[in-house]
Structure formats: structure tokens, C-alpha cells
Amino acid sequence: MSQVECDLCFYLVKKYYGRIVATVGQFLCKNRLQTLGQIIHGTKLKPSLVRKALCVLIKHGLVNFARNKKRMEYSFDTNGTTHILMIPKIIYTTKSLYGDPGEMIIEETLMHGMIEKDSIINTVNRRLEEVSPKVENGVVEKVFNDLVAARFLISEPVIPLDDENKEKAGDDVEVDVGSKRKRICSDDEIENIAKKVKVLDTYSVNFVRFNQYFRDQYIVNGIKQKFGAHCGEILRAILRISEVTTSPQAERTQPISSNEIRQALPVHLIMPIIHVEQYLNIMISDPGNLLQKIEESSSNLYVVNLKKCVEAVCQANVLSYILERYGSKSCRIFKLLLLKSHLEQKQVEDFAMIPSKEAKELLYQLWSDHMLIMQEIPRTVDHAPSRTYYLFNVNINKVIRTLLTRSYRTLLNLLARQRHEVKSNKRLAEKQARVEHIKVTIENADEAQLQEIDEMLTPAERDQLQKMEHCHNKLGKAQIQVSNTAFLFSLHLTY
């Protein structure tokens, strides 16, 4: 992980799980594989606190562990930053798909990391009864089963050892071997202990499935913008069919026939099979190879090239960034190099139709900001500049990696600015909370009393509160936009 990503991880983990957990997470970010003793020595924390922090990180899927010879080693999950950033979007998506019960189920699961089914259902039922006394029996359990069926929640069995079983597992037969002592436990004893141990059926949020859902949403939106709403819905139907049959890491979906696609369309978009095939042929004719046709026997099968789709969406985001930051002429040069690959400065001037001096400045600016790479091809052994070809090219993976780092830095700055705003207006926010609390607690208050309570806040303070709220809204929207962009770039780098 880069330093910026480590700092962002520390800030996000601290925000959700506390300072001690964040300290352990940051140490693992910087040092990769570490044993428990190394973590204790590096963080200068008490062993009991380090163990609890590791338990929290493991339960929330932020730390992986594996046995290396005789030692257990821990490492921070490289996708941990993406998972934490997408938490608000995960909750909002679940609410839009499954309503309030689904939102509360996901909230409880995210809060605990791993939790039993009965505990989730009981907690959500209590929360719903507080909001609405008339809650139908079985609604929460049905929504929970739907989330499991859609793989938004996954089962993770955990075997807890109570004190009695721990003693049985630890009281092994001791045999002297020289100066050392070995612990040996017979197979029958292990089998008897295993029978008495209860396996808890716990559940956790499947971040991979949510990432797959968000990826499909971005692809469908991109197809809608390029080919229209009908093509977007047809592609959505293909992706919905392939959710179960296709691995999240696969580069292409499984082959699907046009009849299956037509049957999976929404009711209001049912159309003749010939129209479906016409829309499919429109997408197949695109040079980007986003949709491909496989001819087998008498039927035509279609596959979506997920890798090409993600590359196209990311490339559109990169071009938008180049256009906004460097201008239309720089964007034209960037597109030209994507299309033609290696070009000299003179060739760039001719193809892009930009004056020599201006083209040189734009190329140097893009190269100095790591948007372009330059390759030197000497004609002689002495590498003289006058006898050397300088070819410019675009390495899209390197550009996306650079922009991902900048996105993380921007998020870190936005979070720091938000924390500064909260800290600087803390007294005013507490005063507003006290005023609202007084208004709620007073029963049967007339308008004069309420107006007198409102006057506790001066006009200047009300203006300051309005400015603070506006600033928080802008910072929140900026965080959402940058988080979505960072998610897309990190998704591209996984393929």
C-alpha cells in the first residue's frame, strides 16, 4: 500500500472502530505480514488490546491471517479501504432494494462484522417496533432470507470454545522428550470435544457481491449513455442472468441466448425477439467489443466482456479528468495517443492539428504530471539528443494508478476538512442541539414559548449554522463522487 492509502485507512478505521484498532490497522498496512509479537512491539500497545483490536479487524474482514510454520501471521486486506469507503453506498443500496428492514439488517451486520441470524432478526424487530408498532410477523426473516439468497449476506460458521471445552482441549497427555515437553491429544478425545462444541451459523456482509452489483450498475449506465435506454436494459438483463453463473473475478459472462435475454426483460419492455437481436447487433458492432456473439450450432449466444466494459468506463472517467484539468487540446492529444500508441512530437502536431509550440507545452505538462510516458530510441551509441527518437505513449494502467492515489489524497483532505469544520463549530452545534431538545421536551407549549426558545439562537448564529450545513453537504457530496471514482479505478486494477 502507498503512504496515502495507509493514512486514509487509518482515518477511516479510526472513524468507525476507534483509535486503538486504527493503530494496529495502520501498522499492518505499512509492514504487511506480521506476527502477534511484532505487532505488540511495533505499536507499543498492551497485548490484550492488540488481541482485541485484531479480533475486531478480522471480524470485519479487514485483516487476513495464515499459519506460517509454527507462527500465525497477520496482514491488512488490500481491499480494506474500498470496503470501508463503500459502506454508506451499501446501506443506501440495500434500503432502495429491500426497504427499511433490509437497511437495518445490513447496518447491524456491518456494526458487528459477524453476527448470528437470530440476533439480527430480534434486534431489527425491536428497532422496527420502535418506529412503527404495526410490523407484520416474518417480514424481517423473509428479507433476511432474500439477502442471503442474493448473496449480499454470506454464512461464516464459527466454532466458539467455552471454558470447559478449552480445558479439555488444553489438558493433553504430556510426554517428556529430552528437555522439551510435548502435548499430545488422541483422535478419540478430539472427536469427543468436536461433538460437544456448538457450531454457530453467523453471517457477514459479502463485499465482493456488492462490488459486483455496483460494477454492473456502472456498466449499464455507460451503455445507456452510449446506445440508449433499451440497450441498457437488455444488458442489465444479461448481467442479472449471469449473476449466479459467473464468478465475480471472471472477465466474461457465461454465454446466454437471445430467448433467455428476452424472457428476463421487465414487463414494460417485452418486445419481439427480432427487435432484441437488432439491439444486440448494435452493441456487437461497436469497436470496443463490449458485447460479443458466439455462434454455436443453430443458436446465437451472447457474452458481455466485463473487462472491456470496466476499461471503457474507466477510460471515460480519465478523459473527463484530462478535459477538466488540462483543457480540450490536451484531451485531444491524450485520445490521439490512446488510438495511435507511440508517436513523436511532430506526428502529434500533425494529427492533432495543434501549433508546434503549444503542442510541445501540452505534451510536457502531461508527461510531467505522469499522464504520458516517453520512450527514448537512440540511433547512435552515444545517445545524443539530436540523434534520438522521443516517442510519447499512454500507459492507461499507470495513469489509473496515479489518479487512484490522487483520489485517495483528495478523500483524505475532504475528511480532514470535515473534521476541522465540526471541531471549529462544536460549541454552536451543541447549543442548537440543546435548543431542539428543550423544544421537544416541553409539552403543550404555545407559540410564544416556542418563539422565545428559538430566540436563544441569535441571527448571526443561525447564519453560521446555515453556512456550516451547506459546507457539510458540499463536503459529503464531494466524498461520494470521489469514492465512486476511486472504486471504479480500483476495480479496473483488479482485472
Side-chain angles (χ1 to χ4, degrees), residues 331-378:
C331 187
R332 194 190 314 168
I333 291 173
F334 194 86
K335 283 182 181 178
L336 177 65
L337 291 171
L338 277 174
L339 183 65
K340 298 286 187 179
S341 191
H342 295 82
L343 290 177
E344 289 186 275
Q345 180 187 327
K346 178 63 177 169
Q347 292 174 310
V348 172
E349 296 168 10
D350 296 338
F351 283 120
M353 294 180 291
I354 299 174
S356 176
K357 183 179 179 182
E358 191 174 2
K360 187 186 292 184
E361 290 176 356
L362 295 174
L363 280 169
Y364 178 77
Q365 186 179 17
L366 289 170
W367 176 73
S368 62
D369 286 350
H370 308 289
M371 297 294 107
L372 302 178
I373 58 174
M374 184 173 60
Q375 185 177 359
E376 299 180 5
I377 303 178

Side-chain angles (χ1 to χ4, degrees), residues 445-489:
D446 54 14
E447 293 183 3
Q449 288 177 319
L450 293 175
Q451 186 176 0
E452 185 179 354
I453 295 170
D454 287 335
E455 288 176 356
M456 293 173 65
L457 289 170
T458 63
E461 289 175 335
R462 292 188 180 279
D463 291 341
Q464 184 64 25
L465 284 169
Q466 190 174 0
K467 289 179 182 178
M468 183 182 70
E469 185 179 358
H470 178 68
C471 182
H472 282 186
N473 291 336
K474 287 182 68 176
L475 289 171
K477 290 178 181 178
Q479 287 176 29
I480 293 170
Q481 291 174 351
V482 179
S483 298
N484 291 338
T485 305
F487 168 76
L488 268 177
F489 289 156

Side-chain angles (χ1 to χ4, degrees), residues 150-359:
R151 291 183 293 132
F152 288 119
L153 290 177
I154 53 174
S155 175
E156 294 191 3
V158 177
I159 303 177
L161 288 174
D162 55 20
D163 294 336
E164 181 182 355
N165 290 327
K166 284 179 182 177
E167 291 176 3
K168 290 182 179 180
D171 293 340
D172 305 328
V173 180
E174 293 187 356
V175 179
D176 288 329
V177 182
S179 60
K180 298 181 180 178
R181 299 176 71 84
K182 255 189 184 177
R183 289 187 181 273
I184 301 173
C185 187
S186 66
D187 295 338
D188 294 336
E189 289 176 337
I190 294 174
E191 188 176 352
N192 291 332
I193 294 171
K195 288 179 181 177
K196 294 180 180 180
V197 172
K198 181 184 177 183
V199 178
L200 297 179
D201 193 12
T202 60
Y203 289 85
S204 64
V205 174
N206 188 358
F207 289 103
V208 175
R209 177 68 181 88
F210 274 105
N211 290 346
Q212 183 185 4
Y213 180 83
F214 297 146
R215 178 202 65 192
D216 294 348
Q217 290 294 106
Y218 285 120
I219 292 173
V220 170
N221 291 336
I223 293 294
K224 281 184 177 180
Q225 291 179 4
K226 191 167 187 177
F227 300 105
H230 285 82
C231 288
E233 291 301 326
I234 288 172
L235 196 79
R236 189 196 300 277
I238 299 173
L239 294 173
R240 191 182 298 120
I241 295 170
S242 63
E243 281 179 352
V244 180
T245 58
T246 305
S247 169
Q249 292 79 27
E251 294 186 2
R252 301 195 311 172
T253 61
Q254 295 294 324
I256 301 169
S257 66
S258 54
N259 281 322
E260 290 178 301
I261 297 169
R262 180 181 176 276
Q263 292 172 3
L265 287 172
V267 178
H268 65 281
L269 281 177
I270 293 295
M271 61 184 77
I273 188 67
I274 188 171
H275 291 174
V276 174
E277 291 180 348
Q278 286 174 351
Y279 282 119
L280 290 169
N281 289 331
I282 289 172
M283 290 186 280
I284 289 169
S285 61
D286 183 72
N289 293 325
L290 307 180
L291 186 70
Q292 299 167 355
K293 181 165 70 173
I294 302 173
E295 297 182 1
E296 292 185 1
S297 63
S298 60
S299 61
N300 293 329
L301 301 178
Y302 301 88
V303 295
V304 178
N305 194 323
L306 299 171
K307 183 178 179 181
K308 293 283 186 182
C309 290
V310 172
E311 285 178 356
V313 175
C314 286
Q315 187 173 314
N317 277 269
V318 171
L319 290 173
S320 176
Y321 173 82
I322 298 291
L323 179 64
E324 292 293 329
R325 186 176 177 87
Y326 302 101
S328 58
K329 292 183 179 179
S330 296
C331 187
R332 194 190 314 168
I333 291 173
F334 194 86
K335 283 182 181 178
L336 177 65
L337 291 171
L338 277 174
L339 183 65
K340 298 286 187 179
S341 191
H342 295 82
L343 290 177
E344 289 186 275
Q345 180 187 327
K346 178 63 177 169
Q347 292 174 310
V348 172
E349 296 168 10
D350 296 338
F351 283 120
M353 294 180 291
I354 299 174
S356 176
K357 183 179 179 182
E358 191 174 2

Side-chain angles (χ1 to χ4, degrees), residues 39-93:
I39 298 171
I40 293 170
H41 178 74
T43 56
K44 310 296 183 185
L45 296 172
K46 294 180 179 179
S48 59
L49 295 177
V50 173
R51 291 191 185 96
K52 290 177 182 177
L54 284 173
C55 286
V56 171
L57 291 169
I58 291 170
K59 280 184 66 177
H60 289 85
L62 299 175
V63 165
N64 301 320
F65 60 92
R67 183 175 293 280
N68 183 10
K69 296 181 181 179
K70 295 183 179 180
R71 302 184 303 175
M72 192 69 74
E73 292 183 335
Y74 303 88
S75 63
F76 197 87
D77 190 353
T78 53
N79 297 319
T81 308
T82 307
H83 293 168
I84 300 175
L85 285 174
M86 301 309 291
I87 284 176
K89 190 169 184 179
I90 286 171
I91 295 173
Y92 175 77
T93 301

